[in-house]
Amino acid sequence: KQEVTQIPAALSVPEGENLVLNCSFTDSAIYNLQWFRQDPGKGLTSLLLIQSSQREQTSGRLNASLDKSSGRSTLYIAASQPGDSATYLCAVRGNYGQNFVFGPGTRLSVLP
Amino acid sequence: EAGVAQSPRYKIIEKRQSVAFWCNPISGHATLYWYQQILGQGPKLLIQFQNNGVVDDSQLPKDRFSAERLKGVDSTLKIQPAKLEDSAVYLCASSLEWGRSNTEAFFGQGTRLTVV
């Protein structure tokens, strides 16, 4: 059974710092991995999708990497801003036909 | 492009009452998911539809939860009777295709259910 963990559970940084959020999964036979952002009381916003054949994806100040063999993904946020404050969730889809398994999330606070 | 629509946004009910949630996925999306998110946790899948057929409902508490997706478009999720532990946010998501690895899932705003 796939299990997804995220470290740290919470993170507070001053504005402008570069930071890394970690996601680990137990079964390396994944189909893809998706990073989401969730603002308080809101739904999930898709940030990046990495297919199993890819090693990284970039969008603006965000860069996500995938290392299937070690069961890890990292989300790198450059030059953090207060508007980046939210909970970040990673979700793994197992092989063909399976649904997403989510991690518990990392709650990020970027202080002005 | 319109996103995934859910209603209502909030619902407060007493235990043992029934409640229903509605979801309208993005037009043309064949796959629809219902997730339950308890405060402080990641979402957990309740049921996955491909068109109007059920793909995975292994984690759906079938003694009290039911879901349907008529005509392969809109979906409703029902709880009857509700328990205190059902208090959570219920998220609906959709994706274009089921079997392609580059297919993103898009989520609605969710319905926050409080059972008192």
Side-chain angles (χ1 to χ4, degrees):
Chain A
K1 177 185 173 185
Q2 180 74 270
E3 292 184 4
V4 181
T5 56
Q6 291 185 246
I7 294 173
L11 182 63
S12 184
V13 300
E15 181 177 5
E17 276 202 6
N18 301 324
L19 50 98
V20 175
L21 308 182
N22 297 291
C23 172
S24 297
F25 45 95
T26 54
D27 186 347
S28 62
I30 67 169
Y31 206 55
N32 59 33
L33 182 147
Q34 196 165 350
W35 281 93
F36 294 89
R37 167 186 173 139
Q38 186 172 34
D39 292 286
K42 300 291 182 65
L44 279 64
T45 300
S46 178
L47 297 173
L48 289 163
L49 172 77
I50 308 177
Q51 300 176 55
S52 60
S53 59
Q54 298 174 323
R55 292 195 63 85
E56 67 178 326
Q57 281 285 351
T58 298
S59 176
R61 295 183 294 108
L62 305 179
N63 175 276
S65 66
L66 174 64
D67 183 344
K68 277 179 48 179
S69 60
S70 65
R72 291 190 299 184
S73 176
T74 60
L75 178 66
Y76 176 83
I77 302 177
S80 58
Q81 302 171 358
D84 295 330
S85 298
T87 296
Y88 291 80
L89 296 148
C90 72
V92 172
R93 175 178 277 168
N95 274 323
Y96 186 93
Q98 295 184 2
N99 68 84
F100 285 101
V101 177
F102 280 84
T106 293
R107 190 171 66 253
L108 173 66
S109 295
V110 180
L111 307 175
Chain B
E1 177 183 78
V4 177
Q6 289 189 247
S7 67
R9 286 296 314 278
Y10 307 94
K11 191 75 176 178
I12 301 175
I13 61 172
E14 295 182 350
K15 58 183 180 182
R16 291 187 290 273
Q17 285 188 325
S18 63
V19 64
F21 312 128
W22 174 82
C23 173
N24 180 238
I26 293 173
S27 178
H29 280 197
T31 306
L32 185 147
Y33 311 82
W34 282 103
Y35 282 86
Q36 180 193 57
Q37 186 177 26
I38 293 172
L39 187 64
Q41 299 181 18
K44 182 188 79 172
L45 180 78
L46 292 174
I47 190 166
Q48 176 183 347
F49 292 95
Q50 176 73 6
N51 295 311
N52 61 348
V54 175
V55 173
D56 185 352
D57 63 357
S58 58
Q59 298 184 83
L60 186 74
K62 297 180 185 64
D63 58 333
R64 298 184 300 105
F65 285 66
S66 64
E68 60 181 7
R69 190 183 184 196
L70 299 177
K71 301 180 182 179
V73 182
D74 293 5
S75 177
T76 56
L77 175 69
K78 297 179 181 178
I79 307 175
Q80 181 180 10
K83 293 185 176 181
L84 295 176
E85 58 261 35
D86 297 332
S87 294
V89 175
Y90 291 84
L91 295 162
C92 179
S94 69
S95 60
L96 184 60
E97 292 186 49
W98 178 35
R100 303 186 71 168
S101 64
N102 63 345
T103 298
E104 289 181 71
F106 295 89
F107 281 76
Q109 293 291 298
T111 296
R112 181 176 297 276
L113 174 67
T114 302
V115 182
V116 297

